[in-house]
Amino acid sequence: GDSVTQMEGPVTLSEEAFLTINCTYTATGYPSLFWYVQYPGEGLQLLLKATKADDKGSNKGFEATYRKETTSFHLEKGSVQVSDSAVYFCALSFIGGGADGLTFGKGTHLIIQP
Amino acid sequence: EAGVVQSPRYKIIEKKQPVAFWCNPISGHNTLYWYRQNLGQGPELLIRYENEEAVDDSQLPKDRFSAERLKGVDSTLKIQPAELGDSAVYLCASSFGGGRTDTQYFGPGTRLTVL
């Protein structure tokens, strides 16, 4: 079945460092890809998404490019802030192909130190 | 615009007791989802509704879990009887359409603790 694999956390960085959180997927079809973020004490929020190969999603300084050849959707940010500390989830959606709903990775806990 | 509303936010019960969770989706969203998130894991889909019809409930443990979405708006998820392993956060999400490109908007979740 469809699956998403994320790098294990926690990931600890200093403020203004460059961030990469790796995400790879396995899907029999042609999914859409998402990054969701969960800030402490809050619900899941969509951070960005891409719906076809080579699309780049971006929001709040974060970017991710849908790479079909490597089945990847890595999340990047050039300069992180303390306020970016949260849990980040990579997910795919292949509704209509026998896998309804979102399939999530396990999440990556990001800690940014001042 | 109001987001997805869930209640209660927290619930503590003893095993074998029943429990129910309520969800009000974003106005105009036809598709509603229930997910379960275990500690340290990503959410897992339990059931998906298109209007009032359950179009995918293959992951719902039907011996103890039930769900309904009367009139295609609010939804209720019930567990009867609850077991220790049901302790988790139960998330409701909604989307305007049910396609693979549609964004799902999540509520804050209900944290269930079964003692």
Side-chain angles (χ1 to χ4, degrees):
Chain A
D2 298 347
S3 66
V4 175
T5 302
Q6 290 182 237
M7 61 190 295
E8 299 268 334
V11 174
T12 303
L13 296 173
S14 298
E15 204 166 20
E16 299 185 3
F18 184 86
L19 168 71
T20 300
I21 301 178
N22 290 335
C23 171
T24 57
Y25 68 90
T26 301
T28 54
Y30 201 176
S32 293
L33 300 172
F34 303 80
W35 276 101
Y36 279 82
V37 58
Q38 191 168 35
Y39 297 105
E42 299 185 17
L44 281 165
Q45 302 175 23
L46 177 69
L47 182 59
L48 53 83
K49 72 178 188 180
T51 59
K52 61 183 186 295
D54 300 325
D55 266 3
K56 178 184 284 187
S58 60
N59 187 26
K60 299 181 181 179
F62 290 90
E63 293 183 339
T65 301
Y66 189 161
R67 300 290 187 197
K68 187 179 179 183
E69 63 276 12
T70 55
T71 61
S72 64
F73 194 55
H74 304 322
L75 183 67
E76 297 181 336
K77 187 175 185 182
S79 177
V80 293
Q81 305 300 313
V82 172
S83 57
D84 293 327
S85 298
V87 181
Y88 292 80
F89 291 93
C90 185
L92 67 82
S93 173
F94 187 46
I95 292 173
D100 288 355
L102 287 166
T103 298
F104 284 88
K106 292 185 177 181
T108 302
H109 186 191
L110 176 65
I111 301 169
I112 306 301
Q113 296 178 334
Chain B
E1 178 182 281
V4 176
V5 179
Q6 291 188 247
S7 69
R9 292 293 309 276
Y10 304 92
K11 189 73 176 179
I12 301 173
I13 61 172
E14 295 192 347
K15 63 180 181 181
K16 300 185 181 180
Q17 295 299 305
V19 65
F21 314 123
W22 176 81
C23 173
N24 179 247
I26 293 173
S27 178
H29 281 193
N30 299 319
T31 308
L32 184 145
Y33 312 78
W34 283 103
Y35 291 83
R36 178 169 58 189
Q37 185 176 16
N38 292 312
L39 188 64
Q41 303 292 315
E44 295 179 331
L45 181 71
L46 291 174
I47 189 169
R48 171 182 167 224
Y49 281 93
E50 292 289 346
N51 297 303
E52 64 272 14
E53 181 183 359
V55 294
D56 182 9
D57 63 354
S58 59
Q59 302 304 311
L60 191 71
K62 297 182 183 58
D63 57 335
R64 297 183 299 107
F65 286 65
S66 64
E68 61 182 10
R69 191 184 184 198
L70 300 177
K71 301 181 181 179
V73 181
D74 295 0
S75 178
T76 303
L77 178 69
K78 299 179 182 178
I79 308 175
Q80 183 171 11
E83 297 179 352
L84 294 176
D86 296 331
S87 295
V89 176
Y90 291 83
L91 298 167
C92 179
S94 70
S95 63
F96 181 72
R100 69 173 184 86
T101 63
D102 289 287
T103 297
Q104 295 182 29
Y105 297 87
F106 285 80
T110 297
R111 182 177 297 277
L112 174 67
T113 302
V114 182
L115 303 176

